[in-house]
Amino acid sequence: MDSAVPATGFLYWVGASTVTYLLLRLSYSLFRAVRVWGVGNEGVGPWLGAWAVVTGGTDGIGKSYAEELAKRGMKVVLISRSQDKLNQVSSEITEKFKVETKTIAVDFTSEDIYDKIKTALAGLEIGILVNNVGMSYEYPEYFLEIPDLDNTIKKLISINILSVCKMTRLVLPGMLERSKGVILNISSASGMHPVPLLTIYSASKAFVDFFSQCLHEEYKSKGIFVQSVLPYFVATKLAKIRKPTLDKPSPETFVESAIKTVGLQSRTTGYMIHSLMGLINSNLPRWIYFKITMGFNKSLRARYLKKAKKN
């Protein structure tokens, strides 16, 4: 009986220590949540450098980043495919925010565009790079049944992967010379967890996420902050969502939230509701996650094919 007393005491302290540890973790998590989603960080602006460069800057999230950075007093370089759209968005930003803009019309499906971009950016003090340009599937599909598969592979890799590496290669040296700068790489929640029927897209966005995390660790001691942004659905043309909802915010709402995480989170969903969604998905058993994801994407695929057949 006497030996049971020390054992009981030991178990008591193990239990007390475990509870204390869990309470401290919960308290820290709540503190971080309030710091990120309640207070945020306003340390983004022209003090990082006069210019911000935004790829895919004429629509959706890219356009909203361009507008938000212009609102904060930064001059903006818009890079996209259509010169007409570039001119329109450039004029809107200049008129609304009274800042200088530049445009570069290139097609990111091509690999021979980066000398042109380098020449156009020469001499600019670039404080922020937003690698936003991206491409997804027309609809969820099995890998071998993707229409024009070889061309789709090339396009997705060129736009979603190559552009991020090449644009970073062009802009990062200037940031290092000044020991300050921010690179925002727009990945996707599809890069956080594998998404079957969007296989190439999901894998390409996972590359962006890993690339960002590695780059941040390599250069954070040199004054460079690299952020991987992993949103769930945002009401954009790319997502084919027209009407914003609480869990599918407008690009403006999303960017207003996401930009406040710069300097606080090197890896972020950018939006509090998306953060909660990510927490749930991360804790689902893997087989349940894949069952839900496959079921959802198969239903989207069936709906698209049925509609296409009618037309």
Side-chain angles (χ1 to χ4, degrees):
M1 291 293 292
D2 291 342
S3 64
V5 176
T8 303
F10 173 75
L11 291 174
Y12 169 81
W13 285 112
V14 169
S17 299
T18 302
V19 170
T20 301
Y21 170 74
L22 292 174
L23 287 174
L24 286 172
R25 280 202 63 176
L26 178 61
S27 299
Y28 178 72
S29 296
L30 289 172
F31 170 78
R32 288 285 299 169
V34 171
R35 178 73 181 89
V36 172
W37 306 117
V39 180
N41 180 26
E42 296 295 340
V44 175
W47 45 88
L48 291 166
W51 288 87
V53 176
V54 184
T55 67
T58 56
D59 286 301
I61 291 174
K63 182 182 178 183
S64 292
Y65 265 110
E67 291 175 338
E68 181 65 33
L69 294 169
K71 185 167 71 174
R72 292 166 181 247
M74 297 193 75
K75 303 172 185 178
V76 180
V77 180
L78 300 164
I79 308 179
S80 193
R81 182 175 57 182
S82 168
Q83 187 63 60
D84 288 341
K85 278 190 175 183
L86 284 166
N87 291 342
Q88 180 184 341
V89 175
S90 173
S91 297
E92 289 173 4
I93 289 175
T94 300
E95 185 177 337
K96 187 173 181 180
F97 302 107
K98 313 303 179 189
V99 297
E100 187 179 347
T101 60
K102 287 174 66 75
T103 65
I104 306 173
V106 291
D107 185 349
F108 280 100
T109 61
S110 301
E111 297 181 18
D112 59 355
I113 60 173
Y114 294 98
D115 285 341
K116 177 181 178 180
I117 296 173
K118 182 179 181 179
T119 300
L121 296 181
L124 300 184
E125 185 188 65
I126 298 168
I128 297 179
L129 167 64
V130 184
N131 279 315
N132 166 76
V133 67
M135 174 185 172
S136 186
Y137 289 20
E138 181 68 20
Y139 65 96
E141 185 56 279
Y142 293 90
F143 177 70
L144 290 179
E145 296 178 34
I146 296 170
D148 195 13
L149 178 57
D150 288 337
N151 194 36
T152 299
I153 291 171
K154 181 179 180 298
K155 283 183 176 180
L156 279 162
I157 291 174
S158 294
I159 294 175
N160 293 357
I161 295 178
L162 185 65
S163 71
V164 174
C165 297
K166 287 284 196 176
M167 289 303 302
T168 300
R169 171 69 183 88
L170 292 179
V171 171
L172 184 56
M175 292 180 172
L176 286 173
E177 283 180 13
R178 294 177 289 107
S179 298
K180 58 183 176 180
V182 169
I183 298 174
L184 307 179
N185 293 327
I186 312 305
S187 179
S188 165
S190 300
M192 198 186 312
H193 309 286
V195 181
L197 300 186
L198 292 177
T199 300
I200 312 171
Y201 176 76
S202 178
S204 69
K205 289 301 185 179
F207 173 90
V208 174
D209 182 34
F210 273 53
F211 178 79
S212 304
Q213 291 181 67
C214 294
L215 206 66
H216 180 72
E217 291 302 318
E218 289 177 14
Y219 292 103
K220 66 181 181 181
S221 63
K222 301 180 187 296
I224 311 302
F225 185 85
V226 183
Q227 186 182 65
S228 175
V229 186
L230 303 118
Y232 281 80
F233 287 121
V234 177
T236 64
K237 288 182 181 178
L238 183 68
K240 297 181 176 63
I241 299 171
R242 295 180 181 178
K243 188 176 179 181
T245 59
L246 181 64
D247 63 320
K248 302 177 186 68
S250 67
E252 295 81 7
T253 299
F254 174 79
V255 169
E256 187 179 348
S257 170
I259 203 153
K260 291 180 181 179
T261 68
V262 175
L264 299 177
Q265 292 183 313
S266 60
R267 190 170 185 256
T268 183
T269 60
Y271 183 63
M272 185 173 66
I273 303 298
H274 289 184
S275 180
L276 293 172
M277 292 165 66
L279 185 64
I280 292 168
N281 277 337
S282 295
N283 286 284
L284 281 176
R286 202 165 177 80
W287 69 271
I288 292 179
Y289 166 78
F290 276 124
K291 188 175 181 62
I292 292 171
T293 306
M294 273 295 287
F296 178 72
N297 279 342
K298 282 170 77 173
S299 69
L300 289 180
R301 176 181 182 270
R303 196 182 314 161
Y304 177 90
L305 293 175
K306 184 178 179 180
K307 186 177 179 181
K309 192 174 181 180
K310 284 183 178 179
N311 294 336

